Amino acid sequence: MRILLTGSAGFIGGHVAEALDAAGHDVVPLDLRTGVDVRSGPALDGLMGGVDAVVHQAAKVGLGVDVADLPDYASVNVYGTAELLAAMARHGVGRLVLASSMVVYGEGAYDCAAHGRTRPLPRAEEDLARGRFEPRCPQCGGPLTSATITEDAPADPRNAYATTKLAQEHLAANWARETGGAAVALRYHNVYGPRMPRDTPYSGVAAIFRSALEAGRAPRVFEDGGQRRDFVHVRDVARANLAALTGGEPGRLTAFNIASGEARTVGEMAAVLATCHGGPQPITTGEYRLGDVRHIVASPARAREALGFTAEVPFRTGMKEFAAAPGSVAMP
């Protein structure tokens, strides 16, 4: 297949490009780093000739620093996706693989002993300041038990990045309905691995911890370190993109969790990474950020059943490689 790959020079996009090339696909790269902007309709038109599918990785990533980031997130992630979909329609390209994110869920799934499956409200700053990090039942205020979240859970984006990723999914669904194309949204969980960006506030937590270790500093773990996440290796994510090229259904968007299926705490990840790097060991600070979610752990069952995708890189093997692998400096 001839595949237009946006974000081809990025952390995940670079690994996807390698996987596509190794599988024998003809990759047409598009990346701001190489002078092509996904927001440019004329530039897109110049690349769409003969394209069979688009794999859309280009995005402004991270949770953002403050409200001043909103225009950039909306411009790159929402407007850029709209331009891309319009160009696909003009050129009759009927298959899209979209890099989405687990952040569209907000908090993960929880169960209350009295009220069953429930969705907690955003955690109050008063609770966080007192070290009360676990969400509570919105009906009775009682304790909750974290559960795995499925793709059918309602969306609840809680920051600018999350809102724009959900908007991308909605736009892709619009495109699929109106053109009869097949759209697959891959909801990545916490991706890590070689060439992960560093030294930027938009980096993922694993990259921030590794940057600290490289500088001889102990990783600083927020809250009590008990936040549960699913860490998935970037090469597994690249494999998921390959599998998604033949997934989905005409006329609709189908979402898939791309995750390892194994819950790890942020504190555990920091400790394993520090050990693999040779120290120093992490410090748990009790600090917090408003808008952060407590637990988000996914069920990968749909991706396994519909795409034949299962993550293969073991957590400790991946972290050992990541601890020694060179990173990259993200674009400002």
Side-chain angles (χ1 to χ4, degrees), residues 213 217-220 267 270-276 278-284:
L213 290 164
R217 302 190 307 271
R220 295 177 61 83
V272 170
L273 187 60
T275 298
C276 291
Q281 287 297 305
I283 298 169
T284 303

Side-chain angles (χ1 to χ4, degrees), residues 11-289:
F11 163 48
I12 296 175
H15 286 274
V16 173
E18 293 169 359
L20 292 172
D21 184 68
H25 295 291
D26 179 14
V27 179
V28 180
L30 183 161
D31 198 281
L32 190 59
R33 295 166 176 81
T34 55
V36 183
D37 194 326
V38 73
R39 293 169 289 187
S40 171
L44 291 168
D45 286 331
L47 296 172
M48 285 286 179
V51 166
D52 301 300
V54 171
V55 176
H56 184 28
Q57 305 290 323
K60 183 176 177 66
V61 300
L63 298 183
V65 176
D66 55 37
V67 176
D69 284 327
L70 288 173
D72 279 347
Y73 277 104
S75 178
V76 176
N77 297 355
V78 182
Y79 180 71
T81 299
E83 284 283 8
L84 178 67
L85 294 170
M88 291 175 66
R90 287 193 298 272
H91 292 267
V93 181
R95 181 166 291 277
L96 172 71
V97 178
L98 169 68
S100 187
S101 173
M102 55 90 173
V103 296
V104 302
Y105 297 122
E107 281 284 356
Y110 292 86
D111 292 321
C112 172
H115 298 98
R117 183 58 50 92
T118 188
R119 211 67 187 278
L121 299 172
R123 295 178 293 169
E125 185 169 11
E126 178 183 355
D127 285 341
L128 296 172
R130 293 181 177 181
R132 300 172 182 167
F133 300 122
E134 294 293 336
R136 293 179 287 182
C137 176
Q139 298 180 67
C140 66
L144 297 174
T145 302
S146 175
T148 55
I149 198 161
T150 68
E151 294 87 349
D152 296 325
D156 185 19
R158 297 189 177 186
N159 55 61
Y161 175 62
T163 299
T164 60
K165 296 308 286 185
L166 184 59
Q168 286 183 320
E169 290 195 14
H170 288 320
L171 289 170
N174 295 156
W175 166 84
R177 282 193 297 269
E178 294 184 24
T179 67
V184 173
L186 302 180
R187 292 175 176 170
Y188 302 157
H189 284 250
N190 290 73
V191 186
Y192 73 98
R195 306 199 297 270
M196 192 174 187
R198 60 186 179 189
D199 301 328
T200 162
Y202 305 97
S203 298
V205 66
I208 291 171
F209 289 167
R210 190 185 64 174
S211 292
L213 290 164
E214 289 175 340
R217 302 190 307 271
R220 295 177 61 83
V221 178
F222 280 14
E223 302 187 14
D224 60 359
Q227 310 94 305
R228 297 170 74 239
R229 298 289 188 270
D230 187 310
F231 296 95
V232 58
H233 196 278
V234 68
R235 286 197 299 274
D236 282 329
V237 170
R239 290 178 45 252
N241 277 268
L242 276 177
L245 285 171
T246 55
E249 299 177 23
R252 61 172 296 185
L253 176 140
T254 309
F256 296 95
N257 287 323
I258 302 303
S260 72
E262 297 181 355
R264 306 281 179 174
T265 69
V266 173
E268 178 187 5
M269 184 273 288
V272 170
L273 187 60
T275 298
C276 291
H277 190 275
Q281 287 297 305
I283 298 169
T284 303
T285 69
E287 297 172 88
Y288 59 87
R289 294 190 307 179

Side-chain angles (χ1 to χ4, degrees), residues 294-312:
R294 179 63 175 174
H295 306 300
I296 175 74
V297 179
S299 167
R302 180 185 289 181
R304 181 178 62 250
E305 294 163 3
L307 301 180
F309 167 77
T310 302
E312 295 179 350

